[in-house]
Amino acid sequence: GAGVSQSPSNKVTEKGKDVELRCDPISGHTALYWYRQSLGQGLEFLIYFQGNSAPDKSGLPSDRFSAERTGGSVSTLTIQRTQQEDSAVYLCASSLAQGANYGYTFGSGTRLTVV
Amino acid sequence: GENVEQHPSTLSVQEGDSAVIKCTYSDSASNYFPWYKQELGKGPQLIIDIRSNVGEKKDQRIAVTLNKTAKHFSLHITETQPEDSAVYFCAAGGGTASKLTFGTGTRLQVTL
């Protein structure tokens, strides 16, 4: 597609439920990143996928968070047993090769609200 | 690892004035410095970037300067307009880094 697509755009879930957030990167972009942005805050790195390499999971805040990237394209971020502190905007970005050299293209994000 | 500091956190200017946002970084190996603009309800969008082999880059009303010796870079917006109101993020990366390191953001408000 023309840009990075994220779905859903908004998600309200009850505390304790699991949620899945989807990211469809730009075709041909081998690098994919997930970030979290709490209200009025900066960008918190969560996880990074690069081609067939093992993902960099160093930013995941707890073992309730996991992500996968199938076929080097679409990625899903899963949050199990959601807590109120998980409420935030989850941003996905993709890049040609290593984004640290080429910059990112971000999606519009998924706004997650845990009630 | 890399550490990026960004100032100021908020900036209010009158329409037509200039705005300057400054960032410092810690890793001398960083060689790529992009700037992102985030409007309300949207993801950050790349507006300009600079690599370490140049000291300044301009694109219409926006310019970025880089001082590698001092490890700082700045975003300059001239003739500001209300549509420039947004949150701006600087970032540093490049070399062997796998990801960009972002500053904490500057909320720019352009008043009439």
Side-chain angles (χ1 to χ4, degrees), chain A residues 9-113:
Chain A
S9 55
N10 282 283
K11 176 73 176 178
V12 180
T13 190
E14 292 182 349
K15 178 181 173 182
K17 300 284 190 183
D18 298 352
V19 294
E20 285 190 353
L21 312 180
R22 177 188 167 103
C23 173
D24 201 341
I26 292 174
S27 178
H29 280 195
T30 60
L32 187 147
Y33 302 81
W34 284 97
Y35 282 80
R36 180 168 71 174
Q37 188 173 33
S38 300
L39 188 61
Q41 300 301 308
L43 301 166
E44 177 188 3
F45 167 74
L46 297 178
I47 189 168
Y48 159 55
F49 296 90
Q50 172 60 58
N52 295 320
S53 303
D56 175 0
K57 305 179 181 180
S58 61
L60 294 178
S62 77
D63 59 7
R64 295 187 296 105
F65 288 73
S66 63
E68 62 177 21
R69 188 179 185 190
T70 55
S73 181
V74 171
S75 177
T76 302
L77 177 69
T78 301
I79 308 174
Q80 296 179 310
R81 304 181 302 281
T82 52
Q83 304 295 313
Q84 288 186 329
E85 60 263 30
D86 299 334
S87 296
V89 175
Y90 289 81
L91 291 163
C92 175
S94 70
S95 176
L96 283 170
Q98 284 187 217
N101 285 292
Y102 296 97
Y104 302 162
T105 301
F106 282 92
S108 295
T110 294
R111 181 176 298 278
L112 176 66
T113 304

Side-chain angles (χ1 to χ4, degrees), chain B residues 12-91:
Chain B
S12 182
V13 300
Q14 285 196 323
E15 183 179 7
D17 288 350
S18 294
V20 180
I21 302 170
K22 299 181 178 182
C23 289
T24 61
Y25 62 99
S26 61
D27 188 350
S28 57
S30 290
N31 59 19
Y32 176 63
F33 308 93
W35 286 86
Y36 289 83
K37 175 183 180 182
Q38 186 176 27
E39 297 177 325
L40 196 63
K42 298 183 179 180
Q45 181 181 11
L46 178 68
I47 56 172
I48 194 168
D49 56 11
I50 191 168
R51 299 190 184 272
S52 60
N53 56 343
V54 297
E56 183 176 3
K57 184 177 178 180
K58 289 184 180 180
D59 182 3
Q60 299 182 354
R61 296 185 297 107
I62 293 173
V64 57
T65 60
L66 171 65
N67 183 327
K68 276 198 68 81
T69 302
K71 296 200 194 70
H72 63 71
F73 56 113
S74 301
L75 178 71
H76 304 253
I77 306 174
T78 58
E79 302 172 23
T80 53
Q81 301 170 3
E83 52 265 37
D84 295 329
S85 296
V87 178
Y88 292 82
F89 291 96
C90 63

